[in-house]
Amino acid sequence: MAKTEKVNGLRQLRGSSAADKLTDNGRASSDLEPNGSAIPGETQVDKYGFTGGAQQVSGEAAEEIPNAVLRQREAKWLEMLDSWDKFMLKKHKKVKERCQKGIPPSLRGRAWLYLTGAKVKREQNKEKFQELSSQPGDPKWVDIIERDLHRQFPFHEMFAARGGHGQQDLFSVLKAYTLHRPEEGYCQAQAPIAAVLLMHMPAEDAFWVLVQICEKYLPGYYSTGLEAIQLDGEILYALLRRVSPIAHRHLKKHKLEPILYMTEWFMCAFSRTLPWASVLRVWDMFLCEGVKILFRVGLVLLKCMLGTQEKLKSCQGLYETMELLRAVRPEYMKEAFLVQEIAELPVSEKDIEKEHHGQLRRWKEAHGDLRCKSPPRMHGAKAIMAAEPPSRQDLRQRPAIIVESPQAPAATEKDGERPENSSAAATAAKTSRDKVKGATRPRPVHPHFLSTDPAPLLPNAVPGSSKESLSSSEHDTYL
């Protein structure tokens, strides 16, 4: 009989494979390769770093963007990041449109850092992460975090090896958060969020983005009692009545509470539900526009699966409906289809806030005041910047790799620092890249810092086996 204990509102299972069934998008642990085993050299690795499992993208399923288009988007994003405050204040619609199109992979980590306001937090709290990482942490949370590490994306290169750099960084980030917010501690659903971030940025950056997601985007989600997620479940249910009355009536008829099907969707920001290409596109929009994107994704999936009488024929009872919601049909999760449906669904911040106030009133009537007092929710990047206006110094980009080139004009230095993302720097980088084409170059350890068209791995490199990690000053390798 499996022993269970309640951990921060979520059930932690021990002595059973049930906990591991949450791993790898719902696959049973018996289907998985054990973490820590070396990945064979001939293993196929997709462009996102997955070596197998439900998240791996096949060649036929991947949607490729032409290189010329990708280069143009990268140039536009570099321009935006170099004048972030101006774009956010005067051209926010342009930022939103570009997030909907998809952030270029080479700049996704940096863009998420800016969108969430984590760049400013990091600059204003220098050495804070290192200080937290060096502390031993609360043994209660340390033990639970260590038991959760191997369950996070075991088929990804970064997290395949027990004790490898990915698991080390994941432990550091989660432990640091428990020290940063000791009254909140650790919740299991934070682990996949932190893991997704670590696939795109160093540990320090991932920590500050996690802080912003927990405090600004999804406040109260990971607190004891899960009151915030229960409230949002009722909001989703109320919005569904307007978006898809048929689906709403079906769920109401079978008394299927929202908390039963939407908890993992929202708390993990769909990272364990959708195909990986769709996860990244959803996150690009979510970190730009806020929680309304999660509501839209949930509403689209419910509408697509339960929105017609014909579709309901296969799920006449509660059990059949739950099984359907646990295994969303692939055509509804495809990147292009899902992004278009999300963009077109007429659910705004005002709709969510209106329902929030109504549900909060009903909650107080039924249960009294909320036990967990969370800060107000911020609806996306623009609201976060308006609430905490940054300085230009905090937004300043600091690439670590600077390529010298005799052909490039000397850049004017200011305050002892080289101008960043200037045309001169870009020219120097391109010239140097052309000159060393074909030569052996040092390569980063992290697979997620590779360019969009990477060269083959070094002959002796074993993906996922490295225990090294990049520092936050080493991650800007796209040049």
Side-chain angles (χ1 to χ4, degrees):
M1 187 74 177
K3 294 181 181 179
T4 65
E5 61 181 30
K6 208 72 177 265
V7 178
N8 208 17
L10 287 181
R11 193 170 295 275
Q12 174 88 11
L13 292 97
R14 294 189 292 176
S16 150
S17 63
D20 288 328
K21 287 183 181 179
L22 292 177
T23 310
D24 191 48
N25 205 19
R27 288 183 50 150
S29 58
S30 60
D31 296 332
L32 304 179
E33 289 290 334
N35 291 69
S37 60
I39 300 173
E42 66 273 9
T43 299
Q44 291 295 317
V45 183
D46 71 12
K47 64 180 182 178
Y48 301 115
F50 287 96
T51 60
Q55 297 286 15
Q56 188 177 37
V57 177
S58 65
E60 299 77 22
E63 294 185 10
E64 297 294 339
I65 300 173
N67 283 336
V69 175
L70 200 55
R71 298 291 88 82
Q72 290 175 354
R73 290 183 181 179
E74 287 172 340
K76 291 175 180 178
W77 269 95
L78 285 171
E79 179 191 7
M80 282 202 310
L81 292 168
D82 200 37
S83 304
W84 187 249
D85 52 344
K86 295 178 182 177
F87 269 87
M88 289 298 293
L89 291 173
K90 299 179 180 179
K91 300 181 181 179
H92 179 256
K93 185 178 179 181
K94 181 67 68 177
V95 178
K96 190 171 85 169
E97 289 173 354
R98 289 175 180 174
C99 286
Q100 287 180 352
K101 289 180 180 178
I103 300 171
S106 60
L107 293 170
R108 182 168 270 128
R110 192 190 298 182
W112 287 358
L113 193 70
Y114 275 72
L115 285 165
T116 57
K119 170 70 163 66
V120 176
K121 283 286 187 182
R122 190 190 74 188
E123 296 298 327
Q124 293 175 348
N125 295 273
K126 293 182 183 296
E127 310 302 328
K128 178 71 172 177
F129 175 70
Q130 287 75 13
E131 176 190 329
L132 295 172
S133 297
S134 65
Q135 297 178 28
D138 186 328
K140 174 181 69 174
W141 298 127
V142 167
D143 179 58
I144 296 167
I145 292 169
E146 285 178 338
R147 284 188 276 130
D148 273 353
L149 294 178
H150 73 283
R151 297 175 183 142
Q152 312 311 319
F153 306 109
F155 280 122
H156 194 277
E157 285 183 309
M158 276 194 69
F159 305 105
R162 282 189 183 271
H165 69 80
Q167 291 194 13
Q168 289 180 30
D169 283 354
L170 182 58
F171 174 78
S172 295
V173 169
L174 296 173
K175 183 193 72 173
Y177 188 83
T178 66
L179 293 167
H180 179 68
R181 286 284 178 263
E183 72 283 0
E184 190 171 292
Y186 166 71
C187 175
Q188 285 179 299
Q190 290 172 314
I193 296 286
V196 175
L197 296 174
L198 284 168
M199 293 177 195
H200 296 86
M201 60 187 75
E204 183 179 14
D205 292 357
F207 168 74
W208 288 114
V209 176
L210 177 65
V211 167
Q212 292 294 91
I213 289 174
C214 294
E215 295 180 1
K216 301 292 197 303
Y217 289 79
L218 307 173
Y221 265 38
Y222 309 105
S223 300
T224 305
L226 303 180
E227 293 172 324
I229 193 72
Q230 291 181 64
L231 275 174
D232 277 0
E234 295 302 325
I235 294 170
L236 178 72
Y237 189 57
L239 292 172
L240 182 65
R241 182 169 50 202
R242 186 182 58 163
V243 172
S244 179
I246 293 176
H248 180 270
R249 282 196 300 270
H250 179 79
L251 295 175
K252 184 177 181 179
K253 174 184 176 182
H254 295 290
K255 296 182 173 58
L256 196 56
E257 298 293 329
I259 198 75
L260 296 176
Y261 55 84
M262 57 77 67
T263 303
E264 185 173 275
W265 289 0
F266 277 52
M267 292 186 75
C268 299
F270 291 94
S271 61
R272 297 212 298 210
T273 304
L274 301 174
W276 205 248
S278 300
V279 169
L280 297 180
R281 295 293 298 279
V282 165
W283 276 50
D284 289 346
M285 292 185 287
F286 164 56
L287 297 181
C288 178
E289 301 179 55
V291 77
K292 75 176 182 186
I293 297 299
L294 301 188
F295 279 99
R296 288 184 184 183
V297 176
L299 291 168
V300 167
L301 296 182
L302 290 169
K303 179 183 176 181
C304 288
M305 291 185 290
L306 305 171
T308 66
Q309 294 296 341
E310 185 67 27
K311 292 173 182 176
L312 296 179
K313 289 180 180 178
S314 61
C315 51
Q316 294 297 320
L318 185 145
Y319 175 79
E320 292 83 2
T321 304
M322 277 301 300
E323 286 300 300
L324 184 68
L325 295 178
R326 284 195 186 108
V328 183
R329 291 174 61 176
E331 59 263 34
Y332 301 141
M333 301 189 293
K334 283 187 177 179
E335 179 185 350
F337 171 82
L338 188 59
V339 169
Q340 183 176 351
E341 291 292 315
I342 293 168
E344 293 178 354
L345 197 68
V347 173
S348 66
E349 295 95 338
K350 289 182 179 179
D351 297 328
I352 293 169
E353 284 305 310
K354 181 180 177 181
E355 283 297 336
H356 178 78
H357 291 306
Q359 294 299 335
L360 193 59
R361 186 174 62 253
R362 295 184 189 97
W363 178 281
K364 288 182 178 180
E365 291 171 357
H367 309 285
D369 290 332
L370 294 172
R371 287 172 293 173
C372 177
K373 302 296 182 183
S374 302
R377 176 153 57 195
M378 301 285 181
H379 287 279
K382 188 176 182 179
I384 292 172
M385 179 172 278
E388 301 175 356
S391 68
R392 284 290 294 163
Q393 187 66 24
D394 290 337
L395 290 173
R396 195 172 189 180
Q397 297 185 72
R398 305 180 187 278
I401 294 180
I402 300 170
V403 182
E404 299 289 351
S405 172
Q407 284 80 13
T412 304
E413 297 189 11
K414 183 178 180 181
D415 299 329
E417 294 180 343
R418 187 177 300 272
E420 297 150 299
N421 286 329
S422 63
S423 58
T427 304
K430 183 179 185 304
T431 304
S432 179
R433 184 169 64 243
D434 292 341
K435 289 182 68 177
V436 301
K437 187 176 182 181
T440 302
R441 295 179 292 171
R443 296 187 57 77
V445 176
H446 277 296
H448 57 281
F449 297 131
L450 303 181
S451 65
T452 53
D453 187 18
L457 289 171
L458 297 176
N460 298 326
V462 179
S465 63
S466 172
K467 294 189 178 181
E468 299 179 28
S469 178
L470 294 179
S471 70
S472 59
S473 62
E474 295 175 293
H475 72 286
D476 294 313
T477 59
Y478 63 92
L479 292 175

